[in-house]
Amino acid sequence: MGQMNRRTVRDLRRGNRSTLLRQLYFQGPVSRQELGTLTGLSSGSVSNVVGELLADALVEEAGSVESDGGRPRTLLRVAPGSGHLIGVDVGETHVRVELFDLMLTELARWEHPLTPGGLERDPEPVVGHILTGLEAVVAKSGTEPEAVIGVGVGVPGVVEQGDEILVHGPTAGRDAVPLERLLRTGTDLPLFIDNGATAQGQAEMWFGAGRGADNAVIALIGSGVGAAIVTAGAPYRGATSSAGEWGHTVVQVGGRACRCGAVGCLEAYVGAQAVLDRYGRAARGDRAGVGGADGAGEGGADGAGEDQQAAFAAIVGAAGTEARAREVLEETAAYLGAGIADLINLFNPERIILGGWAGLLLGGRVLPRIRAATASYALHRPYAQTEIGLAELGPDAVALGAATLPLAHFLATGGAR
């Protein structure tokens, strides 16, 4: 019984540390009195836990404010230099590694190009690039390895969480990749691996366009198409962590071939390469293949990277003066509106946040058209209750999102290492 009581007291203290640390992280600088109001904890509990956090150098004083008729109140905040976080973006065309302080200020960056789909086809070189990048950013920033709280890794595809973390690629016929086990051969740093869209979505919810919402969908469009679904403030993963493969929902029965092996997927119509393919056929006057299963619709498997981004941006830029480009973008907006309507009808979110490099380019040009198309396909009442806007953290925030994975664990455990 005594052991059970000690464990309960320890759990309670850890819970109080987590509660206060989260409030200091997201609301700070704040005073001890404000912490009591924000958390509902007694002044004694606040004083004790704050004392621990100060002693652990996780929290520091940040000036003072005048109080009504009393002594000035000391403000507290999380100490930015009390730990470091690393975010890894394993994209289809690159590995990017970024090191941040605890408040997610970038301190160092390393990047290496990839052949599209390299993680599933030949994971060992990709693992080698990740490990090289980890060493590079730690050395470049002058950070001691023991100061790194954890490494978050955002990857494309389905990340199966379990006794062994397995990454399943988005295309047909690819085997599971034991990414954590492979990385363990070269690093002892704590690892947190998740889908890149889910990680980026968490960052948008914490620091971007999702702030203040409990139910939202962050829809990301680039070479591929994915979504991070947030319900009651937490990511929705499904039974086996494969929720969010929005790009592989069907918008056209018997439609364009998708790289996943199916036909008619949303990605085969609004993914960056699919838009380039349709524009190429339109430019040659070949209208017959646009809706047919013969279309390549690879959604980023070919021609990805800077060339793809430049070509996509050129179409968006030409839409103001060129009829063919305008027609392709309007058609893309219609398909995208249908896909967003599905999200609204299924999940009834407060917000739909459109992001990803291609999504931001599309949204910047045809967001009103996307909203109008969504309204024509969605149920009226849930559509009227949903805001549709653009992501705020930029077109390339997967590494930042990945860094929130170890940060979330750090906050949830009250700053435990």
Side-chain angles (χ1 to χ4, degrees):
M1 180 65 71
Q3 184 178 6
M4 182 178 297
N5 289 337
R6 285 196 300 273
R7 188 161 56 245
T8 301
V9 169
R10 184 169 62 248
D11 290 344
L12 178 62
R13 181 176 293 275
R14 183 172 57 202
N16 289 345
R17 278 178 63 106
S18 174
T19 298
L20 284 174
L21 194 58
R22 287 185 64 87
Q23 291 297 332
L24 284 165
Y25 192 90
F26 292 108
Q27 305 296 332
V30 293
S31 67
R32 289 172 174 81
Q33 290 84 350
E34 289 172 310
L35 281 173
T37 301
L38 289 169
T39 63
L41 295 175
S42 69
S43 59
S45 295
V46 170
S47 180
N48 289 336
V49 175
V50 166
E52 291 179 7
L53 295 173
L54 286 167
D56 292 342
L58 293 178
V59 169
E60 62 187 14
E61 296 184 354
S64 61
V65 292
E66 296 294 329
S67 62
D68 296 333
R71 293 183 302 173
R73 295 180 177 179
T74 300
L75 297 177
L76 303 167
R77 68 177 182 186
V78 172
S82 60
H84 294 81
L85 304 158
I86 296 178
V88 181
D89 172 12
V90 182
E92 296 202 17
T93 60
H94 64 261
V95 170
R96 180 178 297 117
V97 183
E98 299 179 31
L99 184 141
F100 306 87
D101 68 15
L102 195 55
M103 298 306 293
L104 292 175
T105 299
E106 184 183 316
L107 304 177
R109 175 185 291 216
W110 179 94
E111 188 168 347
H112 193 282
L114 287 181
T115 301
L119 178 61
E120 283 74 33
R121 280 204 306 265
D122 192 6
E124 283 75 14
V126 179
V127 168
H129 297 324
I130 295 172
L131 294 174
T132 299
L134 296 180
E135 293 179 0
V137 295
V138 168
K140 183 177 181 180
S141 64
T143 301
E144 295 295 330
E146 55 269 23
V148 177
I149 292 169
V151 177
V153 184
V155 297
V158 175
V159 180
E160 183 180 347
Q161 306 285 349
D163 293 337
E164 180 172 48
I165 295 177
L166 300 174
V167 179
H168 304 274
T171 61
R174 292 181 177 177
D175 293 329
V177 176
L179 184 57
E180 182 181 24
R181 172 155 48 94
L182 294 173
L183 288 171
R184 276 282 161 249
T185 63
T187 183
D188 293 326
L189 294 172
L191 295 172
F192 302 82
I193 301 171
D194 211 333
N195 173 268
T198 300
Q200 187 170 347
Q202 180 164 269
E204 282 289 342
M205 292 299 294
W206 284 8
F207 309 111
R211 285 172 296 182
D214 288 327
N215 298 277
V217 179
I218 299 87
L220 301 171
I221 302 174
S223 297
V225 175
I229 302 162
V230 178
T231 61
Y236 176 74
R237 300 180 180 278
T240 58
S241 302
S242 69
E245 290 296 327
W246 175 54
H248 301 292
T249 56
V250 175
V251 294
Q252 178 68 60
V253 174
R256 290 168 51 84
C258 180
R259 60 176 174 161
C260 73
V263 295
C265 293
L266 179 66
E267 185 175 293
Y269 291 88
V270 305
Q273 189 60 43
V275 174
L276 294 176
D277 289 344
R278 289 190 290 111
Y279 176 77
R281 276 191 289 277
R284 294 192 302 270
D286 179 6
R287 314 299 299 168
V290 171
D294 60 317
E298 295 300 315
D302 297 313
E306 293 182 4
D307 290 344
Q308 185 189 68
Q309 294 190 28
F312 190 91
I315 296 176
V316 173
T321 57
E322 182 187 305
R324 289 192 296 271
R326 182 165 54 252
E327 182 180 355
V328 169
L329 286 197
E330 288 181 354
E331 185 182 56
T332 301
Y335 280 115
L336 184 52
I340 292 175
D342 288 342
L343 294 174
I344 290 174
N345 291 344
L346 283 170
F347 297 106
N348 185 212
E350 301 163 66
R351 298 177 197 170
I352 298 285
I353 300 164
L354 183 60
W357 64 266
L360 289 174
L361 284 170
L362 281 170
R365 171 65 69 172
V366 293
L367 185 58
R369 179 73 182 91
I370 293 170
R371 288 172 174 156
T374 303
S376 68
Y377 290 110
L379 293 173
H380 172 72
R381 183 167 178 79
Y383 171 77
Q385 297 170 330
T386 304
E387 300 176 15
I388 302 175
L390 300 181
E392 296 179 356
L393 299 181
D396 193 16
V398 174
L400 175 67
T404 69
L405 301 175
L407 175 60
H409 182 266
F410 181 76
L411 296 175
T413 57
R417 298 280 181 162

